[in-house]
Amino acid sequence: MTATDFSTGEGVVFHSGPLIDPVRASCSYPGMFLPVKIRGRLLIDGMLSHTVPTRPLRQMGAERVLAVHLKGKWTDGDGPRHLFDVIGQCFAIAQEMNSSQWKEAADLVIEPDVNGYKYDAFEHSAALVRAGELATRAALPEIRKWLEPQLDRGLSLPKAMPKPAPVQAD
């Protein structure tokens, strides 16, 4: 789990300990929530320092890093609905402009097609989960290649993933 030091911009990675405060800090989206104080530091959302935390995973010794990036839209052609849309779209732009940094630390990037959904489209959660499932299924051949050395050690892989349940229309 990651957060960002509000004073320095430094990325903070939590390795152990109670989860509640790190989760609160990691979700402290600037403009919506105040920073969370942990061990004398004011912390905000980790996406500012680690949009997708591929580098911390590499630093922790991960041999393979699969990154999932939800490239969301905060506004449409009609413009922002409120200040949160303005703030969110600014962060979305910054994240996209800096995406090469985290992508180079990933072996595989899965980007579900979430176009047409706003960040707060919770009523479409089933369709969004389905988008993630479809993107992951498309990546399965590459993921299986990662697992091939496991087969050499006598472990078995499922032949195919079970068919997904149909998604109800929202």
Side-chain angles (χ1 to χ4, degrees):
M1 176 151 335
T2 65
T4 304
D5 186 299
F6 182 70
S7 300
T8 66
E10 176 188 2
V12 176
V13 179
F14 295 94
H15 299 278
S16 62
L19 280 176
I20 199 98
D21 285 336
V23 168
R24 285 183 50 234
S26 181
C27 299
S28 291
Y29 195 84
M32 291 185 187
F33 302 104
L34 291 173
V36 174
K37 194 168 199 172
I38 301 176
R39 294 185 215 126
R41 297 173 90 172
L42 289 175
L43 303 177
I44 55 177
D45 197 316
M47 64 98 176
L48 290 168
S49 55
H50 301 292
T51 304
V52 178
T54 55
R55 290 188 185 279
L57 288 171
R58 289 284 185 201
Q59 291 166 355
M60 292 167 65
E63 293 178 23
R64 298 274 190 207
V65 175
L66 186 153
V68 178
H69 183 230
L70 300 176
K71 192 172 167 181
K73 283 180 95 169
W74 284 74
T75 63
D76 53 25
D78 295 335
R81 298 170 292 171
H82 41 66
L83 182 60
F84 296 142
D85 281 353
V86 174
I87 294 168
Q89 185 64 15
C90 289
F91 284 122
I93 292 167
Q95 288 175 353
E96 186 60 28
M97 298 304 289
N98 294 308
S99 64
S100 63
Q101 293 176 11
W102 64 262
K103 282 183 177 181
E104 68 186 28
D107 294 296
L108 178 62
V109 177
I110 296 176
E111 293 185 279
D113 182 3
V114 293
N115 286 321
Y117 298 100
K118 292 189 177 181
Y119 73 95
D120 58 354
F122 301 113
E123 69 275 13
H124 298 288
S125 60
L128 290 164
V129 167
R130 177 77 172 138
E133 182 181 350
L134 291 172
T136 303
R137 285 179 180 280
L140 276 177
E142 188 64 28
I143 295 168
R144 285 182 179 280
K145 286 181 193 173
W146 293 2
L147 299 173
E148 284 174 0
Q150 308 256 342
L151 296 174
D152 295 338
R153 293 193 323 232
L155 301 174
S156 63
L157 296 176
K159 298 279 186 236
M161 289 189 61
K163 289 198 172 229
V167 175
Q168 299 289 328
D170 293 323

